[in-house]
């Protein structure tokens, strides 16, 4: 009987954690950047990105993503897309 009681409490605890994520608006997906930061893409390659504080410009060799095409979570639509293209120093796609 004790075994079933522990299992029931474990299940309730897991359901409570899941409900807390849903209510708080959090997701279980890995965010690209932390709060107070935005992602930037490396110029000249398909790989390479960084996170920059909101109040700073991208460092040399990086550009901002176009508005509406910013990756927010690992492996989301835009994260996958930007890993397949190369951009120039103006953020223009140069190669698919």
């Amino acid at each position: 009987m004790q075994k079933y009681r522990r299992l029931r409490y474990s299940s309730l605890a897991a359901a409570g954690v899941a409900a807390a994520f849903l209510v708080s608006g959090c997701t279980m997906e890995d965010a690209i950047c932390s709060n107070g930061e935005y992602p930037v893409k490396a110029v000249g390659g398909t790989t390479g990105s960084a996170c920059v504080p909101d109040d700073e410009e991208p460092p040399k060799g990086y550009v901002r993503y176009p508005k509406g095409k910013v990756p927010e979570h690992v492996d989301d639509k835009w994260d996958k897309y930007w890993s397949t293209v190369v951009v120039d120093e103006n953020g223009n796609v140069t190669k698919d």
Side-chain angles (χ1 to χ4, degrees):
M1 186 68 154
Q2 180 121 359
K3 179 180 178 182
Y4 295 115
R5 189 174 301 153
R6 271 190 265 148
L7 180 62
R8 186 177 340 150
Y9 290 136
S10 295
S11 297
L12 286 173
V17 169
F21 275 109
L22 292 173
V23 172
S24 69
C26 293
T27 67
M28 307 268 290
E29 299 171 306
D30 292 326
I32 296 288
C33 293
S34 299
N35 286 337
E37 297 178 325
Y38 66 94
V40 292
K41 170 117 172 103
V43 172
T46 56
T47 60
S49 63
C51 294
V52 177
D54 287 340
D55 60 347
E56 294 181 17
E57 290 299 313
K60 184 175 179 156
Y62 291 86
V63 294
R64 290 179 186 261
Y65 291 99
K67 188 173 183 176
K69 297 180 179 181
V70 179
E72 295 180 11
H73 296 97
V74 175
D75 289 334
D76 71 9
K77 171 184 171 180
W78 293 115
D79 186 38
K80 289 178 182 179
Y81 170 76
W82 290 113
S83 69
T84 66
V85 298
V86 176
V87 297
D88 65 17
E89 62 278 349
N90 297 313
N92 299 312
V93 174
T94 61
K95 176 183 163 189
D96 288 336

